[in-house]
Amino acid sequence: MERIRVLVVDDHPVVRSGIKKVLELEDDVAVVAEVGTAQAALRKVASTKPDVVLMDLDLPDRSGIEVTAEIKRLFPHLGVIALTIHDDRDHILQMVRAGAAGYVLKDAEPGELINAIRAVAEGYSYMSPPAVKKLMREFTRLADGHEDDKLDGLTAREEEVLLQLARGHSNKQIGAALSISEKTVKNHVTSIFRKIKVGDRTEAALYAVKKGLVELN
């Protein structure tokens, strides 16, 4: 079995050690490194090529938000999960905008963290329930009279792609489900983001939930 390669970034050695012990109980997860600074994180991402990075937001040299944005700029396909004590709207939105595919609170059960890692490694997004609630409130706050027009601007095929995306499916899975190429899916996703004015898959999925295309379980 090919293991999911995980890099743990947290400035507290005890926390890093605890996370590593939890993850190493899983047969399909391997911790490739653990570091405590932003600079070390960027070096290890380049040298160890992880599949998923667990990112604390409070690092001594730079914020985890800034490091996430830098990682996503250099390695767009690498999955980053915020693992943090911060459950406020601003931190959640900033991490989503920086490119994080997941947001998990440090008081979550180990099983939730494992599920998040597996989901992000497969190309999906994962948000802790409290984070989802905060984001949904933000979408409601930002909604205006033109919100319905955004959905009307999508083609029928784009609505199908958005529905699949909101269910957490990767571009490859969407292509297979709709019998179109992965490149065509990418083109549709780009067009969808532009039309509904979102920056990533998580925001698009939340938009789909708000518009009633899918239900939030």
Side-chain angles (χ1 to χ4, degrees):
M1 179 189 300
E2 187 174 348
R3 293 188 173 189
I4 302 168
R5 297 166 57 80
V6 178
L7 170 64
V8 180
V9 184
D10 194 289
D11 63 333
H12 292 97
V14 173
V15 173
R16 296 199 306 270
S17 177
I19 294 170
K20 183 177 180 180
K21 287 179 180 178
V22 168
L23 298 186
E24 289 184 339
L25 293 174
E26 304 300 318
D27 293 335
D28 61 338
V29 178
V31 176
V32 295
E34 49 171 292
V35 297
T37 66
Q39 185 176 7
L42 292 170
R43 286 199 306 266
K44 286 297 183 181
V45 165
S47 63
T48 64
K49 303 291 192 299
D51 302 304
V52 175
V53 176
L54 296 182
M55 180 67 67
D56 186 22
L57 303 192
D58 301 311
L59 301 175
D61 48 348
R62 290 173 69 184
S63 78
I65 297 167
E66 292 176 347
V67 182
T68 296
E70 182 72 3
I71 287 174
K72 294 299 293 183
R73 184 182 69 82
L74 296 171
F75 307 95
H77 301 297
L78 196 159
V80 179
I81 299 173
L83 184 59
T84 177
I85 62 171
H86 298 292
D87 65 351
D88 59 284
R89 183 198 67 187
D90 289 344
H91 280 96
I92 297 168
L93 287 173
Q94 287 179 61
M95 275 300 281
V96 169
R97 288 167 180 156
Y103 203 99
V104 179
L105 301 180
K106 284 187 174 178
D107 61 358
E109 293 294 328
E112 181 180 350
L113 178 58
I114 298 298
N115 289 338
I117 290 171
R118 289 172 178 154
V120 170
E122 288 291 323
Y124 305 157
S125 298
Y126 184 93
M127 292 279 159
S128 289
V132 172
K133 288 180 181 179
K134 294 285 175 64
L135 288 177
M136 289 302 295
R137 290 194 190 108
E138 179 67 6
F139 267 74
T140 300
R141 186 183 71 82
L142 295 175
D144 57 32
H146 301 290
E147 197 71 19
D148 288 337
D149 295 338
K150 291 183 180 180
L151 185 60
D152 292 342
L154 299 181
T155 66
R157 176 62 85 185
E158 286 170 346
E159 287 189 27
E160 291 176 335
V161 171
L162 177 59
L163 175 60
Q164 295 286 329
L165 184 156
R167 289 172 173 167
H169 295 166
S170 65
N171 286 351
K172 184 176 181 180
Q173 291 171 317
I174 295 172
L178 301 180
S179 299
I180 56 179
S181 71
E182 190 171 352
K183 181 178 180 181
T184 299
V185 174
K186 290 180 181 178
N187 291 338
H188 282 313
V189 170
T190 299
S191 178
I192 290 167
F193 284 6
R194 177 178 56 79
K195 289 182 177 180
I196 67 175
K197 299 179 182 178
V198 300
D200 55 43
R201 299 174 80 90
T202 300
E203 289 184 345
L206 288 169
Y207 168 85
V209 171
K210 185 178 184 302
K211 301 303 293 186
L213 291 180
V214 292
E215 292 184 358
L216 187 61
N217 293 325

Coordinates of all heavy atoms in Angstrom, one line a residue, residues 61-153:
D61 N 8.4 32.5 12.8 CA 9.0 33.4 11.8 C 8.0 34.0 10.8 O 8.3 35.1 10.3 CB 10.2 32.7 11.1 CG 9.8 31.3 10.6 OD1 8.7 30.8 11.0 OD2 10.6 30.7 9.9
R62 N 7.0 33.3 10.5 CA 6.0 33.8 9.6 C 4.6 33.1 9.9 O 4.6 32.0 10.6 CB 6.3 33.4 8.1 CG 7.5 34.2 7.5 CD 7.8 33.6 6.1 NE 6.8 33.9 5.1 CZ 6.9 33.5 3.9 NH1 7.9 32.7 3.5 NH2 5.9 33.8 3.0
S63 N 3.6 33.6 9.5 CA 2.3 33.0 9.8 C 2.1 31.8 8.9 O 2.6 31.7 7.8 CB 1.1 34.0 9.6 OG 0.8 34.2 8.2
G64 N 1.3 30.8 9.4 CA 1.0 29.7 8.6 C 0.2 30.0 7.4 O 0.2 29.3 6.3
I65 N -0.5 31.1 7.4 CA -1.3 31.6 6.3 C -0.4 32.0 5.1 O -0.5 31.6 4.0 CB -2.2 32.7 6.6 CG1 -3.3 32.3 7.7 CG2 -2.9 33.3 5.4 CD1 -4.0 33.4 8.3
E66 N 0.7 32.7 5.5 CA 1.6 33.1 4.5 C 2.4 32.0 3.9 O 2.6 31.9 2.7 CB 2.7 34.1 5.1 CG 2.1 35.5 5.5 CD 3.1 36.3 6.2 OE1 4.1 35.8 6.6 OE2 2.8 37.5 6.3
V67 N 2.7 31.0 4.8 CA 3.5 29.8 4.3 C 2.6 29.0 3.4 O 3.1 28.4 2.4 CB 4.0 29.0 5.5 CG1 4.8 27.8 5.0 CG2 4.8 29.8 6.4
T68 N 1.3 28.9 3.7 CA 0.4 28.1 2.9 C 0.3 28.7 1.5 O 0.4 28.0 0.5 CB -1.0 28.1 3.5 OG1 -0.9 27.4 4.8 CG2 -2.0 27.4 2.6
A69 N 0.2 30.0 1.4 CA 0.1 30.7 0.1 C 1.4 30.5 -0.7 O 1.4 30.2 -1.9 CB -0.1 32.2 0.3
E70 N 2.6 30.5 0.0 CA 3.8 30.2 -0.7 C 4.0 28.8 -1.2 O 4.4 28.6 -2.3 CB 5.0 30.6 0.3 CG 6.4 30.4 -0.3 CD 6.7 31.5 -1.3 OE1 5.9 32.4 -1.6 OE2 7.8 31.4 -1.9
I71 N 3.5 27.9 -0.3 CA 3.6 26.5 -0.7 C 2.7 26.2 -2.0 O 3.1 25.6 -2.9 CB 3.1 25.6 0.4 CG1 4.2 25.5 1.5 CG2 2.8 24.1 -0.1 CD1 3.8 24.8 2.8
K72 N 1.5 26.8 -1.9 CA 0.6 26.6 -3.1 C 1.1 27.3 -4.3 O 0.8 26.8 -5.4 CB -0.8 27.1 -2.7 CG -1.5 26.3 -1.6 CD -1.7 24.9 -2.0 CE -2.7 24.7 -3.1 NZ -3.0 23.3 -3.4
R73 N 1.8 28.3 -4.2 CA 2.4 29.0 -5.4 C 3.5 28.1 -6.0 O 3.6 28.0 -7.2 CB 3.0 30.4 -5.0 CG 3.6 31.1 -6.1 CD 4.2 32.5 -5.7 NE 5.4 32.2 -4.9 CZ 6.6 32.0 -5.5 NH1 6.7 32.0 -6.8 NH2 7.7 31.8 -4.8
L74 N 4.3 27.5 -5.1 CA 5.4 26.7 -5.6 C 5.0 25.3 -6.0 O 5.5 24.7 -6.9 CB 6.5 26.6 -4.5 CG 7.2 27.9 -4.2 CD1 8.1 27.8 -3.0 CD2 8.0 28.5 -5.4
F75 N 4.0 24.7 -5.2 CA 3.5 23.4 -5.4 C 2.0 23.3 -5.4 O 1.4 23.0 -4.4 CB 4.1 22.4 -4.3 CG 5.6 22.5 -4.1 CD1 6.1 23.4 -3.2 CD2 6.4 21.7 -4.9 CE1 7.5 23.4 -3.0 CE2 7.8 21.8 -4.7 CZ 8.3 22.7 -3.8
P76 N 1.4 23.7 -6.5 CA -0.1 23.9 -6.6 C -0.9 22.7 -6.3 O -2.0 22.8 -5.8 CB -0.3 24.3 -8.1 CG 1.0 24.9 -8.5 CD 2.1 24.1 -7.8
H77 N -0.3 21.5 -6.5 CA -1.1 20.3 -6.3 C -0.9 19.7 -4.9 O -1.5 18.7 -4.6 CB -0.7 19.2 -7.4 CG -0.9 19.7 -8.8 ND1 -2.2 20.0 -9.3 CD2 -0.1 20.0 -9.8 CE1 -2.1 20.5 -10.5 NE2 -0.8 20.4 -10.9
L78 N -0.1 20.3 -4.1 CA 0.1 19.8 -2.7 C -1.1 20.2 -1.9 O -1.5 21.4 -1.9 CB 1.4 20.3 -2.2 CG 2.0 19.6 -1.0 CD1 3.5 19.9 -0.9 CD2 1.4 20.1 0.3
G79 N -1.6 19.3 -1.0 CA -2.7 19.6 -0.2 C -2.3 20.1 1.2 O -1.4 19.6 1.8
V80 N -2.8 21.3 1.6 CA -2.5 21.8 2.9 C -3.7 21.8 3.8 O -4.8 22.2 3.3 CB -2.0 23.3 2.8 CG1 -1.7 23.9 4.1 CG2 -0.7 23.3 1.9
I81 N -3.6 21.4 5.0 CA -4.6 21.3 6.0 C -4.2 22.2 7.2 O -3.2 22.0 7.8 CB -4.9 19.9 6.5 CG1 -5.4 19.0 5.4 CG2 -6.0 20.0 7.6 CD1 -5.5 17.5 5.8
A82 N -5.0 23.2 7.5 CA -4.8 24.0 8.7 C -5.1 23.1 9.9 O -6.2 22.5 10.0 CB -5.6 25.3 8.7
L83 N -4.2 23.0 10.8 CA -4.5 22.3 12.1 C -4.2 23.3 13.2 O -3.0 23.6 13.5 CB -3.6 21.1 12.2 CG -3.8 20.2 13.5 CD1 -5.3 19.7 13.5 CD2 -2.9 19.1 13.5
T84 N -5.3 23.9 13.8 CA -5.1 25.1 14.6 C -6.1 25.2 15.7 O -7.1 24.5 15.7 CB -5.3 26.3 13.6 OG1 -5.2 27.5 14.4 CG2 -6.6 26.3 12.9
I85 N -5.9 26.1 16.6 CA -6.8 26.4 17.7 C -7.8 27.5 17.2 O -8.8 27.7 17.9 CB -6.1 26.9 19.0 CG1 -5.3 28.2 18.7 CG2 -5.2 25.8 19.5 CD1 -4.8 28.8 20.0
H86 N -7.5 28.2 16.1 CA -8.3 29.3 15.7 C -9.6 28.8 15.0 O -9.5 28.2 14.0 CB -7.5 30.2 14.8 CG -6.3 30.8 15.4 ND1 -6.4 31.7 16.4 CD2 -5.0 30.6 15.2 CE1 -5.2 32.1 16.8 NE2 -4.3 31.4 16.1
D87 N -10.7 29.2 15.5 CA -12.0 28.8 14.9 C -12.8 30.1 14.5 O -14.0 30.0 14.2 CB -12.8 28.0 15.8 CG -13.3 28.7 17.1 OD1 -12.8 29.9 17.3 OD2 -14.1 28.2 17.8
D88 N -12.1 31.2 14.4 CA -12.8 32.5 14.0 C -12.9 32.6 12.5 O -12.1 32.0 11.8 CB -12.2 33.7 14.6 CG -10.7 33.8 14.2 OD1 -9.9 33.1 14.7 OD2 -10.4 34.6 13.3
R89 N -13.9 33.4 12.1 CA -14.1 33.6 10.6 C -12.9 34.0 9.8 O -12.6 33.5 8.8 CB -15.3 34.5 10.5 CG -15.7 34.8 9.0 CD -16.5 36.0 8.9 NE -15.7 37.2 9.2 CZ -16.1 38.4 9.2 NH1 -17.4 38.7 9.2 NH2 -15.3 39.4 9.4
D90 N -12.2 35.0 10.4 CA -11.1 35.6 9.7 C -10.0 34.7 9.3 O -9.5 34.6 8.2 CB -10.6 36.8 10.4 CG -11.5 38.0 10.4 OD1 -12.4 38.0 9.6 OD2 -11.3 38.9 11.3
H91 N -9.6 33.9 10.3 CA -8.5 32.9 10.1 C -9.0 31.8 9.1 O -8.2 31.4 8.2 CB -8.1 32.2 11.4 CG -7.2 33.0 12.3 ND1 -7.6 33.8 13.3 CD2 -5.8 33.2 12.2 CE1 -6.6 34.4 13.9 NE2 -5.5 34.1 13.2
I92 N -10.2 31.4 9.2 CA -10.7 30.4 8.3 C -10.7 30.9 6.8 O -10.2 30.3 5.9 CB -12.1 29.9 8.7 CG1 -12.1 29.3 10.1 CG2 -12.7 28.9 7.6 CD1 -13.5 29.1 10.7
L93 N -11.2 32.1 6.7 CA -11.3 32.7 5.3 C -9.9 32.9 4.8 O -9.7 32.7 3.6 CB -12.1 34.0 5.3 CG -13.6 33.9 5.5 CD1 -14.2 35.2 5.7 CD2 -14.2 33.1 4.3
Q94 N -9.0 33.4 5.6 CA -7.6 33.7 5.1 C -6.9 32.4 4.7 O -6.2 32.4 3.7 CB -6.8 34.4 6.2 CG -7.2 35.8 6.4 CD -6.4 36.5 7.5 OE1 -5.2 36.6 7.4 NE2 -7.1 36.9 8.6
M95 N -7.1 31.3 5.4 CA -6.5 30.0 5.0 C -7.1 29.5 3.7 O -6.4 29.0 2.9 CB -6.6 29.0 6.1 CG -5.5 29.1 7.2 SD -3.8 28.9 6.4 CE -3.8 27.1 6.3
V96 N -8.5 29.6 3.6 CA -9.1 29.2 2.4 C -8.6 30.0 1.2 O -8.3 29.4 0.1 CB -10.6 29.3 2.5 CG1 -11.3 29.1 1.1 CG2 -11.2 28.3 3.5
R97 N -8.5 31.3 1.4 CA -8.0 32.1 0.3 C -6.5 31.8 0.0 O -6.1 32.0 -1.2 CB -8.2 33.6 0.6 CG -9.7 34.0 0.6 CD -9.9 35.3 1.2 NE -11.3 35.7 1.2 CZ -11.9 36.6 2.0 NH1 -11.2 37.1 3.0 NH2 -13.2 36.8 1.9
A98 N -5.8 31.4 1.0 CA -4.3 31.1 0.7 C -4.2 29.8 0.0 O -3.1 29.5 -0.5 CB -3.6 31.0 2.1
G99 N -5.3 29.0 -0.1 CA -5.2 27.7 -0.8 C -5.3 26.5 0.0 O -5.2 25.4 -0.6
A100 N -5.6 26.6 1.3 CA -5.8 25.4 2.1 C -7.0 24.6 1.6 O -8.0 25.1 1.3 CB -5.9 25.8 3.6
A101 N -6.8 23.3 1.6 CA -7.9 22.4 1.2 C -8.6 21.8 2.4 O -9.7 21.2 2.3 CB -7.3 21.2 0.4
G102 N -8.1 22.1 3.6 CA -8.7 21.6 4.8 C -8.5 22.5 6.0 O -7.6 23.3 6.0
Y103 N -9.4 22.4 6.9 CA -9.3 23.2 8.2 C -9.8 22.3 9.3 O -11.0 22.0 9.4 CB -10.2 24.5 8.0 CG -9.7 25.6 8.9 CD1 -8.9 26.6 8.5 CD2 -10.1 25.6 10.3 CE1 -8.6 27.7 9.3 CE2 -9.7 26.6 11.1 CZ -9.0 27.7 10.6 OH -8.6 28.7 11.5
V104 N -8.9 22.0 10.2 CA -9.3 21.1 11.3 C -8.8 21.7 12.6 O -7.7 22.3 12.7 CB -8.6 19.7 11.2 CG1 -8.9 18.8 12.4 CG2 -9.0 19.0 9.9
L105 N -9.7 21.7 13.6 CA -9.3 22.3 14.9 C -8.5 21.3 15.8 O -8.7 20.1 15.6 CB -10.6 22.7 15.7 CG -11.5 23.7 14.9 CD1 -12.7 24.1 15.8 CD2 -10.7 25.0 14.6
K106 N -7.6 21.8 16.6 CA -6.8 20.9 17.3 C -7.5 20.1 18.4 O -6.9 19.1 18.9 CB -5.6 21.8 18.0 CG -4.6 22.2 17.0 CD -3.4 22.9 17.7 CE -2.3 23.1 16.7 NZ -1.1 23.8 17.4
D107 N -8.7 20.5 18.7 CA -9.4 19.7 19.7 C -10.3 18.6 19.0 O -11.1 18.0 19.7 CB -10.3 20.6 20.6 CG -11.4 21.4 19.9 OD1 -11.4 21.3 18.6 OD2 -12.1 22.1 20.5
A108 N -10.1 18.4 17.7 CA -10.9 17.4 17.0 C -10.4 16.0 17.4 O -9.3 15.8 17.9 CB -10.7 17.6 15.5
E109 N -11.3 15.0 17.2 CA -10.9 13.7 17.5 C -9.9 13.2 16.5 O -9.9 13.7 15.3 CB -12.1 12.8 17.4 CG -13.2 13.0 18.5 CD -12.7 12.6 19.8 OE1 -11.8 11.7 19.9 OE2 -13.1 13.3 20.8
P110 N -8.9 12.3 16.9 CA -7.9 11.8 15.9 C -8.5 11.3 14.6 O -8.0 11.5 13.5 CB -7.2 10.7 16.7 CG -7.4 11.1 18.1 CD -8.7 11.7 18.2
G111 N -9.7 10.6 14.7 CA -10.3 10.1 13.5 C -10.7 11.2 12.5 O -10.6 10.9 11.3
E112 N -11.1 12.3 13.0 CA -11.4 13.4 12.1 C -10.2 13.9 11.3 O -10.2 14.2 10.1 CB -12.0 14.6 12.9 CG -12.4 15.8 11.9 CD -13.1 16.9 12.7 OE1 -13.4 16.8 13.9 OE2 -13.3 18.0 12.0
L113 N -9.1 14.0 12.0 CA -7.8 14.4 11.4 C -7.4 13.4 10.3 O -7.0 13.8 9.2 CB -6.7 14.6 12.4 CG -5.3 15.0 11.9 CD1 -5.4 16.3 11.1 CD2 -4.3 15.1 13.0
I114 N -7.5 12.1 10.6 CA -7.2 11.1 9.7 C -8.1 11.2 8.4 O -7.6 11.1 7.3 CB -7.3 9.7 10.3 CG1 -6.3 9.6 11.5 CG2 -7.0 8.6 9.3 CD1 -4.8 9.7 11.1
N115 N -9.4 11.4 8.7 CA -10.3 11.5 7.6 C -10.0 12.7 6.7 O -10.1 12.7 5.5 CB -11.7 11.6 8.1 CG -12.2 10.3 8.6 OD1 -11.7 9.2 8.3 ND2 -13.2 10.4 9.5
A116 N -9.6 13.8 7.3 CA -9.2 15.0 6.6 C -8.0 14.8 5.7 O -7.9 15.2 4.6 CB -9.0 16.2 7.6
I117 N -7.0 14.1 6.3 CA -5.8 13.8 5.5 C -6.1 12.9 4.3 O -5.6 13.2 3.2 CB -4.7 13.1 6.4 CG1 -4.2 14.1 7.5 CG2 -3.6 12.5 5.6 CD1 -3.3 13.5 8.5
R118 N -6.9 11.9 4.5 CA -7.2 11.0 3.4 C -8.0 11.8 2.4 O -7.8 11.6 1.1 CB -8.0 9.8 4.0 CG -7.2 8.9 4.8 CD -8.0 7.8 5.4 NE -7.2 6.8 6.2 CZ -7.6 6.1 7.2 NH1 -8.8 6.3 7.7 NH2 -6.8 5.3 7.8
A119 N -8.9 12.6 2.8 CA -9.8 13.3 1.8 C -8.9 14.3 1.0 O -9.0 14.3 -0.3 CB -10.8 14.1 2.5
V120 N -8.1 15.0 1.6 CA -7.2 16.0 0.9 C -6.2 15.3 0.0 O -5.9 15.8 -1.1 CB -6.5 16.9 1.9 CG1 -5.5 17.8 1.2 CG2 -7.5 17.8 2.6
A121 N -5.7 14.2 0.5 CA -4.7 13.4 -0.4 C -5.4 12.9 -1.6 O -4.7 12.7 -2.7 CB -4.2 12.2 0.4
E122 N -6.7 12.7 -1.6 CA -7.5 12.3 -2.8 C -8.0 13.4 -3.7 O -8.6 13.2 -4.7 CB -8.7 11.4 -2.3 CG -8.4 10.1 -1.8 CD -7.8 9.1 -2.8 OE1 -8.3 9.2 -4.0 OE2 -6.9 8.3 -2.5
G123 N -7.6 14.6 -3.2 CA -8.0 15.8 -4.0 C -9.3 16.5 -3.6 O -9.8 17.4 -4.3
Y124 N -9.8 16.0 -2.5 CA -11.1 16.6 -2.0 C -10.7 17.7 -1.0 O -9.6 18.0 -0.7 CB -11.9 15.6 -1.2 CG -12.3 14.3 -2.0 CD1 -12.6 13.2 -1.4 CD2 -12.3 14.3 -3.4 CE1 -12.9 12.0 -2.1 CE2 -12.6 13.2 -4.1 CZ -12.9 12.0 -3.5 OH -13.2 10.9 -4.2
S125 N -11.8 18.4 -0.5 CA -11.6 19.4 0.6 C -12.2 18.8 1.9 O -13.1 18.0 1.8 CB -12.3 20.7 0.2 OG -11.7 21.3 -0.9
Y126 N -11.7 19.3 3.0 CA -12.3 18.9 4.3 C -12.3 20.1 5.2 O -11.3 20.8 5.4 CB -11.5 17.8 4.9 CG -12.2 17.3 6.2 CD1 -13.1 16.2 6.2 CD2 -12.0 17.9 7.4 CE1 -13.8 15.8 7.3 CE2 -12.7 17.5 8.6 CZ -13.5 16.4 8.5 OH -14.2 16.1 9.6
M127 N -13.5 20.3 5.8 CA -13.6 21.4 6.8 C -14.3 20.8 8.1 O -15.3 20.1 8.0 CB -14.5 22.5 6.3 CG -13.9 23.3 5.2 SD -12.7 24.5 5.8 CE -11.7 24.8 4.3
S128 N -13.7 21.1 9.2 CA -14.4 20.8 10.5 C -15.8 21.4 10.5 O -15.9 22.6 10.0 CB -13.6 21.3 11.7 OG -12.4 20.5 11.8
P129 N -16.8 20.8 11.1 CA -18.1 21.4 11.1 C -18.2 22.8 11.7 O -18.9 23.6 11.1 CB -18.9 20.4 12.1 CG -18.2 19.1 11.8 CD -16.7 19.4 11.6
P130 N -17.4 23.2 12.7 CA -17.5 24.6 13.1 C -17.0 25.6 12.1 O -17.5 26.7 11.9 CB -16.5 24.6 14.4 CG -16.5 23.2 14.9 CD -16.6 22.4 13.6
A131 N -15.9 25.1 11.3 CA -15.4 26.0 10.2 C -16.4 26.1 9.1 O -16.6 27.2 8.6 CB -14.1 25.4 9.7
V132 N -17.2 25.1 8.8 CA -18.2 25.1 7.8 C -19.3 26.1 8.2 O -19.7 26.9 7.4 CB -18.8 23.7 7.5 CG1 -20.0 23.8 6.6 CG2 -17.8 22.8 6.9
K133 N -19.7 26.1 9.4 CA -20.7 27.0 9.9 C -20.3 28.4 9.8 O -21.1 29.3 9.4 CB -21.1 26.7 11.4 CG -21.8 25.4 11.5 CD -22.2 25.1 13.0 CE -22.9 23.8 13.2 NZ -23.2 23.5 14.6
K134 N -19.0 28.7 10.1 CA -18.5 30.1 10.0 C -18.5 30.5 8.6 O -18.9 31.7 8.3 CB -17.1 30.2 10.6 CG -17.1 29.9 12.1 CD -17.6 31.1 12.9 CE -17.6 30.8 14.4 NZ -16.3 30.6 15.0
L135 N -18.1 29.7 7.7 CA -18.0 30.0 6.2 C -19.4 30.2 5.7 O -19.7 31.1 4.9 CB -17.3 29.0 5.4 CG -15.8 29.0 5.7 CD1 -15.1 27.8 4.9 CD2 -15.1 30.3 5.2
M136 N -20.4 29.4 6.1 CA -21.7 29.6 5.6 C -22.3 30.9 6.1 O -23.1 31.6 5.3 CB -22.6 28.4 6.1 CG -22.3 27.1 5.4 SD -22.4 27.1 3.6 CE -24.2 27.4 3.5
R137 N -22.0 31.3 7.3 CA -22.5 32.6 7.8 C -21.9 33.7 6.9 O -22.6 34.7 6.6 CB -22.1 32.8 9.3 CG -22.9 31.9 10.2 CD -22.7 32.3 11.6 NE -23.2 31.4 12.6 CZ -22.5 30.6 13.4 NH1 -21.1 30.7 13.3 NH2 -23.0 29.7 14.2
E138 N -20.6 33.5 6.6 CA -20.0 34.6 5.7 C -20.6 34.7 4.4 O -20.9 35.8 3.9 CB -18.5 34.3 5.6 CG -17.7 35.3 4.8 CD -17.6 36.7 5.4 OE1 -18.1 36.8 6.6 OE2 -17.1 37.6 4.8
F139 N -21.0 33.6 3.8 CA -21.6 33.6 2.5 C -23.0 34.2 2.6 O -23.4 35.0 1.7 CB -21.8 32.2 1.9 CG -20.6 31.8 1.0 CD1 -19.4 31.5 1.6 CD2 -20.8 31.7 -0.4 CE1 -18.3 31.1 0.7 CE2 -19.7 31.4 -1.2 CZ -18.5 31.1 -0.6
T140 N -23.7 34.0 3.7 CA -25.0 34.6 3.9 C -24.8 36.1 4.0 O -25.6 36.9 3.5 CB -25.7 34.0 5.1 OG1 -25.8 32.6 4.9 CG2 -27.0 34.7 5.4
R141 N -23.8 36.5 4.8 CA -23.6 37.9 5.0 C -23.3 38.7 3.7 O -23.7 39.8 3.5 CB -22.4 38.1 6.0 CG -22.2 39.6 6.4 CD -21.0 39.7 7.3 NE -19.7 39.5 6.6 CZ -19.1 40.4 5.9 NH1 -19.6 41.6 5.8 NH2 -18.0 40.1 5.3
L142 N -22.5 38.0 2.8 CA -22.1 38.7 1.6 C -23.1 38.6 0.5 O -22.9 39.2 -0.6 CB -20.8 38.0 1.1 CG -19.5 38.2 2.0 CD1 -18.3 37.5 1.5 CD2 -19.2 39.7 2.1
A143 N -24.2 37.8 0.7 CA -25.2 37.6 -0.3 C -25.8 38.9 -0.6 O -26.1 39.7 0.2 CB -26.2 36.6 0.1
D144 N -26.1 39.2 -1.9 CA -26.9 40.4 -2.3 C -27.9 40.0 -3.3 O -28.2 38.9 -3.6 CB -25.9 41.5 -2.8 CG -25.1 41.0 -4.0 OD1 -25.6 40.1 -4.8 OD2 -24.0 41.4 -4.2
G145 N -28.6 41.1 -3.8 CA -29.7 40.8 -4.8 C -29.3 40.2 -6.1 O -30.1 39.8 -6.8
H146 N -28.0 40.2 -6.4 CA -27.5 39.6 -7.6 C -27.1 38.2 -7.5 O -26.6 37.6 -8.4 CB -26.4 40.4 -8.2 CG -26.7 41.9 -8.4 ND1 -27.6 42.3 -9.4 CD2 -26.3 43.0 -7.8 CE1 -27.7 43.6 -9.4 NE2 -27.0 44.0 -8.4
E147 N -27.3 37.6 -6.3 CA -26.8 36.2 -6.1 C -27.4 35.2 -7.0 O -26.7 34.3 -7.6 CB -27.1 35.8 -4.7 CG -26.3 34.6 -4.2 CD -24.8 34.9 -4.0 OE1 -24.4 36.1 -3.9 OE2 -24.0 34.0 -4.0
D148 N -28.7 35.3 -7.3 CA -29.4 34.4 -8.1 C -28.9 34.5 -9.6 O -28.8 33.5 -10.3 CB -30.9 34.6 -8.1 CG -31.5 34.2 -6.8 OD1 -30.9 33.3 -6.1 OD2 -32.6 34.7 -6.5
D149 N -28.5 35.7 -10.0 CA -28.0 35.9 -11.3 C -26.7 35.1 -11.6 O -26.4 34.7 -12.7 CB -27.7 37.4 -11.6 CG -29.0 38.2 -11.6 OD1 -30.1 37.6 -11.8 OD2 -28.9 39.4 -11.3
K150 N -25.9 34.9 -10.5 CA -24.6 34.1 -10.7 C -24.9 32.7 -11.1 O -24.3 32.2 -12.1 CB -23.9 34.1 -9.3 CG -23.3 35.4 -8.9 CD -22.5 35.3 -7.6 CE -21.9 36.6 -7.1 NZ -21.2 36.4 -5.9
L151 N -25.9 32.0 -10.5 CA -26.2 30.7 -10.9 C -26.8 30.7 -12.3 O -26.4 29.8 -13.1 CB -27.2 30.0 -9.9 CG -27.5 28.6 -10.2 CD1 -26.2 27.7 -10.1 CD2 -28.5 28.1 -9.2
D152 N -27.6 31.7 -12.7 CA -28.2 31.7 -14.0 C -27.1 31.9 -15.1 O -27.3 31.6 -16.2 CB -29.2 32.9 -14.1 CG -30.4 32.6 -13.2 OD1 -30.6 31.5 -12.9 OD2 -31.1 33.6 -12.9
G153 N -25.9 32.4 -14.7 CA -24.9 32.6 -15.6 C -24.1 31.4 -16.0 O -23.4 31.4 -17.0

